[in-house]
Amino acid sequence: MICKRYIIPFFLVPALLTGCMEDFNPDVHEEPVAVLNTLVCADSTLWAQVSRSWMLSDPLPDPILNDAEVSYAVNGGAWLPMAYNPERRRYEAGYVAREGDRVEVSAATRYGVVSASASVPRGVVIDSVSSASAVIVDYNSIIAVDDGQFVYGKTLQVYYRVTISDTPGERDYYMVGGNVMMVDPVVDVNDSELDWISSASGFCIFTDRLFDGSSYTLSLQSDHSLTWVYPDRRYVDEIVVCRITADYYRYLASLYKKYGTLRSDLEYYGFMEPVAVFSNVSGGVGIAAGENGVARSFDITKLVIDAASGL
């Protein structure tokens, strides 16, 4: 697959909760547990990372386990070994995933045996892409000019309309990434935090609840500051549209709810119940995720230079 890898390491880190007038230490298990993360991606080599959890009090832990016995099976077939790659600090197989494959991964570690499975979803069909652009005033950028005055900077905004075709009759989960952001009604209209998640990490996830079985045109946008533009540089926008598994969606949504909202701050100070990060790993924690999609690149070098020259 051509989609970027958006696996975020899953480590169990119990934290100290603070009460109104006294410290509260929850009853947590201090023994480490095994952590398994794998992303099964169409047209990409299978990999898995095996690690362990740690406590916040542990001094500079190195959680990666390089001595596990890791194996995999495809579509219920024979189990085959995965080899550890010390440079990437993960286990790899000589197998390239294909659309529709169901992959099981198991790891025997000193902390127990962990296992999980994920399937490769159907690919994404992009029917059409159109674009437009405009130069706007950037009120967050103030520039000193020669006469000692200050002026606001300018930003080139490129707007993309990307039409995709959805599969009817079943819930589909999507992720959009690249260097674009979603400015789409599918984000604004949905009334549940679990219908869409927009993250500062550079991706957005959402469901097909509002357009199940039909074509839908996504509205995306990229911003390019015109304060410093280099004629010898190549400016490229990349749009990545992936269909992801339901478990991957739930995992990313739980991460957002735990770390990306006001709720996470309230939880840290003990004012809200903790949010559990989703896991589909047996015998430990972690995530086995699947994705399949397509990436489109657009060279906007001339557009950026022309916009800067016209200021």
Side-chain angles (χ1 to χ4, degrees):
M1 131 130 190
I2 317 179
C3 278
K4 292 183 176 178
R5 280 58 172 167
Y6 289 109
I7 280 287
I8 303 172
F10 187 131
F11 300 122
L12 186 64
V13 186
L16 179 68
L17 298 180
T18 304
C20 184
M21 295 295 294
E22 61 181 351
D23 290 339
F24 167 66
N25 293 288
D27 181 17
V28 296
H29 299 287
E30 296 186 6
E31 292 299 321
V33 298
V35 181
L36 172 64
N37 289 311
T38 183
L39 179 60
V40 184
C41 194
D43 302 323
S44 294
T45 301
L46 177 67
W47 61 268
Q49 188 174 72
V50 183
S51 56
R52 65 167 179 87
S53 63
W54 75 82
M55 299 290 291
L56 285 174
S57 57
D58 291 351
L60 296 177
D62 182 3
I64 302 300
L65 302 180
N66 59 10
D67 58 352
E69 295 182 4
V70 183
S71 57
Y72 73 100
V74 181
N75 299 325
W79 286 87
L80 300 172
M82 299 178 69
Y84 184 72
N85 183 331
E87 292 184 1
R88 296 191 173 185
R89 308 191 75 196
R90 67 186 192 184
Y91 296 84
E92 298 176 345
Y95 152 76
V96 176
R98 298 176 298 179
E99 181 175 317
D101 282 353
R102 181 178 181 273
V103 179
E104 300 173 83
V105 177
S106 178
T109 77
R110 71 191 83 152
Y111 305 103
V113 177
V114 288
S115 61
S117 64
S119 297
V120 181
R122 288 183 302 276
V124 175
V125 176
I126 294 181
D127 299 323
S128 64
V129 180
S130 62
S131 64
S133 63
V135 176
I136 65 167
V137 177
D138 183 0
Y139 293 103
N140 294 316
S141 174
I142 300 178
I143 305 170
V145 293
D146 293 339
D147 57 1
Q149 301 297 313
F150 293 89
V151 298
Y152 288 113
K154 300 290 181 65
T155 293
L156 172 68
Q157 291 187 335
V158 185
Y159 313 104
Y160 294 95
R161 290 176 58 81
V162 180
T163 301
I164 62 175
S165 294
D166 186 66
T167 305
E170 59 185 70
R171 176 66 70 231
D172 285 316
Y173 303 86
Y174 292 94
M175 176 167 60
V176 172
N179 65 323
V180 296
M181 59 182 176
M182 294 274 295
V183 287
D184 194 274
V186 74
V187 169
D188 298 328
V189 173
N190 283 347
D191 57 4
S192 167
E193 191 175 33
L194 287 180
D195 284 326
W196 72 276
I197 299 295
S198 182
S199 170
S201 300
F203 64 90
C204 179
I205 62 175
F206 55 94
T207 74
D208 66 347
R209 184 173 66 90
L210 296 182
F211 56 90
D212 179 34
S214 62
S215 294
Y216 187 79
T217 300
L218 301 169
S219 296
L220 311 174
Q221 175 184 313
S222 67
D223 292 347
H224 302 271
S225 174
L226 299 177
T227 302
W228 302 103
V229 173
Y230 303 94
D232 57 345
R233 175 181 169 184
R234 186 168 176 250
Y235 294 87
V236 178
D237 278 346
E238 183 181 36
I239 297 174
V240 183
V241 184
C242 299
R243 185 177 275 115
I244 62 177
T245 56
D247 282 355
Y248 195 13
Y249 175 87
R250 295 187 182 102
Y251 170 71
L252 293 173
S254 65
L255 282 178
Y256 177 81
K257 294 176 76 174
K258 188 170 185 67
Y259 299 113
T261 65
L262 173 62
R263 179 191 179 102
S264 62
D265 294 329
L266 296 176
E267 176 187 327
Y268 179 82
Y269 289 108
F271 295 120
M272 294 196 74
E273 290 291 327
V275 174
V277 176
F278 178 82
S279 170
N280 62 358
V281 172
S282 299
V285 293
I287 184 67
E291 70 176 24
N292 191 357
V294 63
R296 296 282 183 88
S297 296
F298 303 90
D299 192 328
I300 59 169
T301 304
K302 185 176 185 305
L303 191 64
V304 172
I305 292 177
D306 288 350
S309 301
L311 296 180

